[in-house]
Amino acid sequence: MLTICTMTTVRDAVEADLPAIIDIYNQSIPSGLSTADTHPISAEERRPWFRQFSPKKRPIWVAERAGKIVGYIYITSFYGGRPAYDKTAEVSLYLAPKAQGQGLGTDLMQRMIDACPQLGVTTLIGMHFDHNEATKRLNDRFGFQQVGYLQEIAEVHGEQRGLLLSILRICPQ
């Protein structure tokens, strides 16, 4: 496991964090690696999205360094929150460009995995583009198993890209 050199605080996100969260998200759009969005979004249009989160069941956490949000991780209910899938959640992680490659993604993923039993999650789903090597390495590090591949379902910067589907089974405590 990598050591994080700079002091990082991880906490539940509050609505006042939404502009910083959206800024990090929008910074990921030009690379075409992390999202299928092709244009920046606004904090206001994401407010309903943010309000779906619950610290006790489906949290969104922000990572702060020197009082500035540098990343976030969250889980969302799988397949529209249908009851039979209640113990399954999709994990998503975004880091500011300056915070990448420093172990923060590893730290946030470990924290989320560790919290899954208390959140009632026994299966985490990860989905990422087939050309996103950083996410693939992160998922491999934690033992996510690839269970599906949707070939050429997205056009990113004029190129056809596929979506990898991976799962991690969480042992109940």
Side-chain angles (χ1 to χ4, degrees):
M1 181 167 280
L2 299 171
T3 303
I4 299 174
C5 298
T6 307
M7 181 64 169
T8 302
T9 302
V10 178
R11 61 171 175 78
D12 288 323
V14 296
E15 202 160 331
D17 298 326
L18 192 54
I21 289 168
I22 297 308
D23 182 54
I24 291 169
Y25 182 82
N26 284 338
Q27 289 178 59
S28 75
I29 294 172
S31 73
L33 290 173
S34 303
T35 179
D37 278 321
T38 56
H39 301 294
I41 60 172
S42 72
E44 194 53 44
E45 63 190 313
R46 286 301 282 234
R47 207 164 295 286
W49 165 85
F50 182 84
R51 290 178 178 157
Q52 77 179 334
F53 293 98
S54 161
K56 295 199 184 311
K57 186 164 174 77
R58 297 294 185 257
I60 180 169
W61 297 334
V62 293
E64 289 181 313
R65 290 184 179 160
K68 181 175 170 58
I69 294 173
V70 295
Y72 63 99
I73 189 168
Y74 61 91
I75 58 172
T76 51
S77 295
F78 178 68
Y79 209 42
R82 291 184 174 116
Y85 295 113
D86 195 48
K87 293 180 184 248
T88 301
E90 179 186 348
V91 62
S92 300
L93 168 68
Y94 291 89
L95 301 177
K98 290 182 179 179
Q100 295 173 7
Q102 300 170 20
L104 180 57
T106 299
D107 179 56
L108 289 172
M109 184 67 81
Q110 185 66 63
R111 288 173 188 248
M112 188 60 77
I113 290 168
D114 291 347
C116 280
Q118 291 79 33
L119 298 169
V121 173
T122 60
T123 304
L124 275 181
I125 296 178
M127 294 190 267
H128 66 276
F129 285 132
D130 54 9
H131 65 295
N132 186 336
E133 290 298 321
T135 298
K136 182 181 183 325
R137 283 190 306 274
L138 182 66
N139 286 353
D140 287 348
R141 181 176 297 133
F142 285 101
F144 280 78
Q145 298 295 308
Q146 184 178 325
V147 295
Y149 177 57
L150 304 174
Q151 189 173 359
E152 298 182 352
I153 66 162
E155 185 173 315
V156 179
H157 300 309
E159 294 185 40
Q160 294 296 309
R161 296 296 184 183
L163 185 70
L164 295 170
L165 306 165
S166 302
I167 62 169
L168 178 68
R169 301 286 184 200
I170 308 292
C171 296
Q173 292 180 337

